[in-house]
Amino acid sequence: MNDLVRQHTALSETDLEWLHLLVSEWQLLSDLSFADLVLWVPTLDGTRYVSVAQMRPNTGPTSYQDDMVGHLVPRGRRPLLDAALDEGRIVREGDPEWREEVPVRVESIPVRREGRVLGVIARNTNLLTVRTPSRLELTYLQSASDLAQMIAAGSFPYPGQQVDMDASPRVGDGLIRLDADGVVTYASPNALSAYHRLGLAADLVGQHLGNTTAELAPSRGPVDEALVKLASGWAPRETEVEGSSGVIQLRAIPLKPKGTRIGSLVLCRDVTELRRRERELITKDATIREIHHRVKNNLQTVAALLRLQSRRMDSPQGREALNEAVRRVGSIAIVHETLSQNLDERVEFDEIADRVIAMVSEISPGKVDCRRTGRFGILDAEVATPLSMVLTEILQNALEHAFTQGERGTVEVSAIRSGTGRADGRLLITVLDDGSGLPEGFDPQRAGNLGLQIVRTLVEGELGGTFDMVRAEPRGTKVVLDIPSSPQK
């Protein structure tokens, strides 16, 4: 709509915002009217109309099989559009149009803002299935007529009240019509069922909706005056009401077709099951995060115990082995700490990689600069946990064996992510140092070093990737990991 309005019309940005507000609300008018809506705006030169938006009803058959957005119509071809635009009134004259053997009643509603008519809504009703209307349909049509008059007068939609139509109640969810005093004159079957779920034992018709709703909502204090006012339809608002056995969502729309409030529409929807499932998910998420938090605490306790044990060791080899175990446990704890702060089982691995690099750098015998380039991105926990251990082992191996005491050097961890989605994504990880390099005849696939055995097992077994370690030029060692970025089934 933005492109069409800016390309073909003289409307300002504030006018365009008003049209957006209207379009966010007009599903309500379409459903109440059982009709298609097409928004026509005059072009810059005033010789044509351009259709900038279209809405089909959820309550009846469509009148348009094709998409009308973007169509241009010369002025004069559709007299009802001309009359509504020029005279600023709703135009209903004329016989039904026939479209593909379907009779269609066409009406034109001017769209007014601050005294100016910005465009015209063509309301097209498919008459093929017209029958004697029920009380529900008569209420729908009367409410649609009131809203159409408010649009023509510039008093609907309500400024600052743009709603999310996916989350708000719709006409079919439940509709209640109130008089000017807030008393129910009509309640659809779905609306009545919603209030029965809330705890109402009687009929709604004849009752003051605000007082009834406040009585059904449990409260330890005085009557909730704000809820009474909202449910009485005095202002355009949304709220949720929770009773002893259910939750309903309410949306109030005051009706002022001639400038004076004559009543209100209240849309309601039973969201009891939806809120129950949301609470279950919140509880599940909280439980999962608490589990990760406790695992992290337990791992840190294990690391602390190993650290205490290493201080009592007389053997340097035993002390170093325990310190290596501390770092391995610590790398796993970092992942669980990150997971305990998330709502899902996925983590931003760049933060984890930086913390692993900082942790392992503490063992450097020389003045070695460790840094990261590239991005790992977001990874599933099933990938992040073994990868953090692999990265710990590779860095630990590089810092222990590539540099002598006091020697300067660098270790660079680079990550390149490829693939368009989680299914085909891959991670190419390179750890490059400028140390002494590999000894002659060294075979990383056969080396008996415990750290390399852990790397091989995790990369090839758990991650489903490949691992290689080669001499770097002009000196140093390069470790290359190629792994899928999502768990392998």
Side-chain angles (χ1 to χ4, degrees):
M1 185 167 74
N2 288 349
D3 294 339
L4 289 171
V5 169
R6 290 166 180 156
Q7 179 182 354
H8 294 284
T9 77
L11 297 182
S12 65
E13 288 299 316
T14 52
D15 292 335
L16 180 57
E17 286 299 317
W18 182 261
L19 295 184
H20 274 292
L21 187 60
L22 172 66
V23 168
S24 74
E25 293 273 24
W26 70 344
Q27 180 73 64
L28 176 64
L29 177 62
S30 177
D31 289 346
L32 290 172
S33 304
F34 309 97
D36 291 77
L37 306 178
V38 180
L39 178 58
W40 296 92
V41 180
T43 57
L44 185 62
D45 58 10
T47 62
R48 295 180 296 175
Y49 298 96
V50 58
S51 59
V52 298
Q54 179 178 358
M55 178 58 66
R56 291 184 170 89
N58 293 317
T59 52
T62 183
S63 302
Y64 287 109
Q65 298 301 322
D66 300 324
D67 191 351
M68 295 297 296
V69 175
H71 283 217
L72 291 165
V73 174
R75 185 177 171 88
R77 179 175 296 178
R78 299 193 177 181
L80 296 185
L81 292 181
D82 299 337
L85 183 69
D86 296 340
E87 301 172 22
R89 65 181 179 88
I90 299 175
V91 182
R92 295 191 177 92
E93 296 88 355
D95 297 326
E97 295 182 4
W98 287 83
R99 299 175 188 163
E100 299 180 359
E101 300 183 353
V102 175
V104 176
R105 182 175 64 242
V106 181
E107 304 166 83
S108 295
I109 305 167
V111 177
R112 193 183 302 273
R113 175 181 177 268
E114 296 181 350
R116 297 183 300 112
V117 177
L118 307 182
V120 179
I121 294 176
R123 181 164 55 176
N124 304 269
T125 307
N126 187 326
L127 300 178
L128 197 61
T129 58
V130 169
R131 62 186 185 278
T132 302
S134 64
R135 178 75 187 281
L136 180 144
E137 291 168 330
L138 288 173
T139 304
Y140 277 21
L141 293 173
Q142 180 57 54
S143 302
S145 177
D146 293 335
L147 285 177
Q149 292 182 56
M150 292 169 65
I151 292 172
S155 58
F156 187 83
Y158 292 101
Q161 292 295 319
Q162 186 166 353
V163 298
D164 181 0
M165 292 306 298
D166 291 333
S168 294
R170 299 197 178 201
V171 171
D173 294 326
L175 180 140
I176 301 171
R177 175 87 186 216
L178 309 179
D179 64 15
D181 297 322
V183 176
V184 178
T185 60
Y186 176 77
S188 72
N190 284 347
L192 189 58
S193 296
Y195 266 81
H196 284 166
R197 184 70 178 268
L198 200 62
L200 179 69
D203 194 1
L204 269 176
V205 175
Q207 298 200 42
H208 188 279
L209 188 65
N211 294 336
T212 300
T213 304
E215 291 170 2
L216 292 172
S219 174
R220 297 178 181 176
V223 175
D224 189 342
E225 295 295 338
L227 179 58
V228 172
K229 191 171 182 179
L230 186 148
S232 300
W234 285 95
R237 294 287 187 273
E238 285 192 41
T239 192
E240 283 191 7
V241 182
E242 183 167 358
S244 57
S245 58
V247 184
I248 63 172
Q249 187 178 17
L250 298 179
R251 182 190 176 200
I253 305 165
L255 296 176
K256 304 175 182 178
K258 296 182 180 179
T260 303
R261 181 175 170 275
I262 64 167
S264 306
L265 283 181
V266 177
L267 304 181
C268 62
R269 177 171 60 174
D270 182 355
V271 293
T272 305
E273 293 303 315
L274 179 63
R275 296 296 174 259
R276 182 185 62 79
R277 288 195 296 269
E278 287 178 351
R279 290 191 186 103
E280 287 179 352
L281 288 174
I282 291 172
T283 302
K284 179 182 177 183
D285 288 338
T287 302
I288 290 173
R289 280 185 286 178
E290 178 64 21
I291 289 171
H292 284 303
H293 182 71
R294 293 189 182 188
V295 169
K296 182 261 298 184
N297 288 344
N298 290 339
L299 289 172
Q300 289 180 337
T301 301
V302 171
L305 292 173
L306 291 173
R307 198 176 291 112
L308 285 172
Q309 186 67 40
S310 72
R311 291 172 185 167
R312 296 175 177 271
M313 293 286 291
D314 296 328
S315 167
Q317 292 87 352
R319 188 182 305 115
E320 182 56 33
L322 287 176
N323 288 334
E324 287 182 4
V326 168
R327 287 188 286 273
R328 288 165 183 151
V329 172
S331 67
I332 303 174
I334 290 172
V335 177
H336 283 282
E337 182 179 2
T338 305
L339 287 169
S340 70
Q341 301 168 2
N342 292 345
L343 291 176
D344 55 19
E345 291 290 288
R346 308 191 74 203
V347 295
E348 176 63 64
F349 195 79
D350 295 302
E351 177 187 348
I352 293 174
D354 291 339
R355 293 180 63 181
V356 166
I357 290 171
M359 177 184 67
V360 179
S361 295
E362 296 176 359
I363 69 167
S364 174
K367 299 178 180 179
V368 180
D369 176 28
C370 293
R371 58 176 180 264
R372 173 181 61 85
T373 61
R375 293 195 69 250
F376 289 87
I378 297 175
L379 299 177
D380 292 306
E382 296 174 59
V383 175
T385 302
L387 182 57
S388 68
M389 286 196 65
V390 167
L391 195 57
T392 299
E393 296 299 332
I394 293 174
L395 289 171
Q396 191 167 282
N397 188 71
L399 292 174
E400 285 183 353
H401 302 294
F403 304 98
T404 58
Q405 187 72 36
E407 184 180 5
R408 292 183 178 274
T410 60
V411 177
E412 181 178 290
V413 180
S414 67
I416 300 174
R417 193 158 181 166
S418 61
T420 57
R422 293 180 64 183
D424 62 348
R426 297 196 72 81
L427 263 175
L428 181 63
I429 304 165
T430 304
V431 180
L432 179 65
D433 69 67
D434 58 0
S436 58
L438 297 174
E440 290 294 334
F442 180 82
D443 183 358
Q445 302 301 328
R446 297 179 179 273
N449 179 289
L450 176 61
L452 291 182
Q453 289 181 11
I454 292 174
V455 170
R456 286 198 301 268
T457 301
L458 292 178
V459 171
E460 297 171 1
E462 288 199 33
L463 296 174
T466 59
F467 156 72
D468 198 12
M469 178 183 288
V470 296
R471 285 180 176 271
E473 296 296 337
R475 58 171 292 173
T477 304
K478 180 168 70 172
V479 178
V480 180
L481 305 175
D482 185 358
I483 64 172
S485 59
S486 59
Q488 299 301 291
K489 304 300 182 183

